[in-house]
Amino acid sequence: MKKEVVLIIDFGGRYTQLVARKVRECNVYSEIIPCNTGLDRIKGYNPKGIIFGGEVEEYSVEAEEMLKLDVPVVEFSSELIDVEKGSQIIKEFLVNKCNCVGDWTMSAFAKDYIEMIKEKVGDKKVLCALSGGVDSSVAAVMLSKAIGKNLICIFVDHGLLRKNEGDEVEEIFSKQYDMNLIRVNAKERFLTKLAGVSDPETKRKIIGEEFIRVFEEEAKKIGSVDFLVQGTIYPDIIESGVGKAGVIKSHHNVGGLPDVVDFEEIIEPLRDLFKDEVRKVGLVLDIPEDLVFRQPFPGPGLAVRVIGDITDEKLEILKNADYIFREEIKNAGLHREISQYFAVLTNLKSVGIKNDRRTYDYTLALRGVITTDFMTAEYARIPYEVLDVITNRITNEVDGVGRMVYEITGKPPATIEWE
């Protein structure tokens, strides 16, 4: 798709992504590229402007070469971090120096991409792994609007979803959107593989491997397809290693494709978008707000929110507690203010009292964060009175929870998820 492009050259800067987002807020598409990117590739972008992100050595060969390009260049400064001042500086640079029109909007993106998919795919078959999360849902609806019943969605229900979520996914996509949806109920299969496993990375690998195996088995029944859809978004690409940034997490959407599924090409409609842009596309596509603003959810699901080994009992405790937490946050009108909020069942038990009897139950942790990009985050200041309601409800209504804590660690040093 043709669009104005401003390149953010990553010299290892901490705020590189923040600057990229500020450019996009001005309706100009930005992309982060490594500082050692060759000039020929940079010219291929036909950029309207360039911003150096991070510490640029005075005699950097890369910087000197880029300065020879016939496009406006500005170096990163601490002023760009400021919410109002930084946005104004970037806006003036884009308008006055780069002569940008500012036509990068999510409505234009969705319309152009759907038309492109219509032409590209035609009457060929497309396979999509649908998780019910925001990213895969928006990707699936975009493809559905473009090619209709030629899209086949496989929903692998590993039993590690939030309360009622598997049924909700099936209801929305098979009935509301009338998609070709295949739901695979594989809970027992996954729990058997996870039995006795406590290490978080081992959990992730088992779930990722088993997901691929189940997906492959179902895909084989369908036969040959022409395209495979993935819900990869831009932070997935960045976290998997862009520029001088190290790999924070390996994402299942970036590599790790099933070997046995026979397809010609991968379609990643959202790979250029940040999470908030994905949500805007969802609204443009008339996807219900409850789904568009659904809480981010890790691929391994509740397996990484149950600390230690996973059992049916622990999953039920966590599902019920998490449901109450999310319900009360919405009742308090905070569901749009807090970027992500969820419960974690720790592996710690402690003595308590319930109905005048001694108990020895689990400690449940609540997590809420405020973030713009999910790369950095600070803890949400949930009012005490709301936490009181949540704590009283969970300890009274959910058997197995005897004590509750609220986490106040930011990212960094912590990650958003506990495992």
Side-chain angles (χ1 to χ4, degrees):
M1 291 176 286
K2 190 176 180 181
K3 53 183 178 281
E4 298 174 320
V5 178
V6 167
L7 295 178
I8 314 297
I9 310 298
D10 182 14
F11 285 89
R14 180 181 174 187
Y15 298 102
T16 301
Q17 188 177 163
L18 177 64
V19 175
R21 292 175 59 80
K22 283 182 178 291
V23 172
R24 292 193 184 194
E25 287 170 7
C26 297
N27 295 332
V28 175
Y29 177 75
S30 65
E31 190 164 322
I32 300 169
I33 63 172
C35 62
N36 58 359
T37 302
L39 281 184
D40 287 341
R41 187 183 167 201
I42 290 175
K43 289 176 182 176
Y45 281 97
N46 192 24
K48 300 277 285 188
I50 292 175
I51 299 175
F52 289 161
E55 294 295 325
V56 183
E57 295 179 16
E58 188 176 355
Y59 298 106
S60 164
V61 175
E62 293 95 344
E64 284 190 355
E65 288 298 311
M66 290 178 202
L67 286 169
K68 294 175 184 176
L69 295 172
D70 188 23
V71 293
V73 177
V74 66
E75 284 198 25
F76 172 84
S77 70
S78 58
E79 290 179 315
L80 297 184
I81 304 167
D82 184 86
V83 175
E84 293 183 10
K85 194 173 184 180
S87 297
Q88 187 59 36
I89 292 171
I90 287 174
K91 187 174 182 178
E92 288 176 2
F93 172 68
L94 297 174
V95 174
N96 300 332
K97 300 291 185 182
C98 304
N99 298 316
C100 290
V101 176
D103 55 0
W104 169 254
T105 66
M106 293 305 97
S107 56
F109 168 82
K111 181 182 177 183
D112 291 347
Y113 200 93
I114 288 170
E115 288 303 315
M116 186 187 79
I117 289 297
K118 281 181 182 178
E119 292 181 18
K120 183 183 185 72
V121 175
D123 59 356
K124 294 181 178 179
K125 298 291 183 184
V126 178
L127 187 62
C128 175
L130 182 66
S131 69
V134 178
D135 303 333
S136 69
S137 296
V138 172
V141 172
M142 284 185 75
L143 268 293
S144 178
K145 286 184 176 291
I147 62 172
K149 290 288 188 177
N150 283 332
L151 173 68
I152 304 164
C153 294
I154 297 177
F155 169 41
V156 178
D157 186 351
H158 48 30
L160 302 166
L161 298 172
R162 290 164 288 203
K163 187 174 181 178
N164 302 330
E165 204 159 50
D167 294 337
E168 289 171 3
V169 170
E170 185 174 17
E171 172 73 23
I172 290 171
F173 292 99
S174 64
K175 295 183 180 178
Q176 186 171 333
Y177 285 104
D178 192 29
M179 290 186 189
N180 282 331
L181 177 68
I182 300 167
R183 179 180 180 180
V184 186
N185 293 305
K187 176 182 176 181
E188 294 306 317
R189 179 170 173 172
F190 277 85
L191 290 188
T192 299
K193 290 278 186 180
L194 290 165
V197 177
S198 296
D199 179 69
E201 280 305 304
T202 306
K203 288 180 189 176
R204 286 181 179 273
K205 287 176 183 176
I206 288 172
I207 292 166
E209 175 70 21
E210 201 62 19
F211 180 90
I212 289 175
R213 297 289 81 81
V214 175
F215 186 79
E216 282 177 347
E217 289 169 18
E218 293 302 317
K220 281 182 190 175
K221 297 175 187 176
I222 297 168
S224 178
V225 292
D226 301 286
F227 298 94
L228 180 70
V229 179
Q230 290 197 145
T232 314
I233 66 173
Y234 202 38
D236 294 338
I237 305 295
I238 295 170
E239 284 200 343
S240 294
V242 167
K244 291 192 173 181
V247 175
I248 298 170
K249 284 183 183 176
S250 57
H251 286 265
H252 65 280
N253 284 340
V254 186
L257 293 168
D259 298 323
V260 184
V261 180
D262 182 20
F263 60 92
E264 294 177 10
E265 191 178 332
I266 300 168
I267 295 175
E268 295 175 307
L270 311 175
R271 69 174 286 121
D272 291 334
L273 305 185
F274 288 104
K275 179 70 81 172
D276 62 309
E277 292 173 322
V278 174
R279 295 191 197 281
K280 288 175 184 175
V281 171
L283 295 176
V284 167
L285 297 173
D286 295 322
I287 298 175
E289 287 195 11
D290 283 349
L291 195 160
V292 170
F293 291 98
R294 179 172 278 172
Q295 288 289 293
F297 197 57
L302 298 181
V304 292
R305 293 180 182 173
V306 171
I307 309 302
D309 67 318
I310 300 164
T311 65
D312 242 336
E313 179 200 14
K314 287 183 178 180
L315 285 173
E316 282 307 302
I317 292 171
L318 182 56
K319 285 180 181 182
N320 291 328
D322 183 73
Y323 184 85
I324 291 171
F325 181 32
R326 290 184 289 118
E327 186 175 63
E328 289 302 331
I329 288 294
K330 188 171 184 179
N331 289 343
L334 300 172
H335 56 298
R336 293 289 181 83
E337 295 178 24
I338 306 174
S339 308
Q340 188 172 355
Y341 47 97
F342 55 90
V344 176
L345 187 66
T346 75
N347 209 20
L348 177 68
K349 281 192 169 185
S350 60
V351 174
I353 304 167
K354 189 177 286 189
N355 299 325
D356 297 324
R357 297 183 65 181
R358 178 187 182 278
T359 59
Y360 190 60
D361 290 330
Y362 289 104
T363 298
L364 185 89
L366 301 179
R367 177 76 156 141
V369 298
I370 304 293
T371 178
T372 55
D373 54 22
F374 292 89
M375 302 290 285
T376 61
E378 62 179 40
Y379 78 91
R381 275 66 171 175
I382 298 175
Y384 287 132
E385 56 269 26
V386 177
L387 289 173
D388 284 345
V389 173
I390 294 165
T391 300
N392 288 332
R393 279 199 63 191
I394 290 176
T395 52
N396 285 315
E397 297 176 31
V398 181
D399 290 336
V401 177
R403 193 178 296 266
M404 291 178 56
V405 296
Y406 183 62
E407 188 194 355
I408 59 170
T409 321
K411 176 186 180 181
T415 53
I416 293 175
E417 296 290 343
W418 275 39
E419 289 193 342

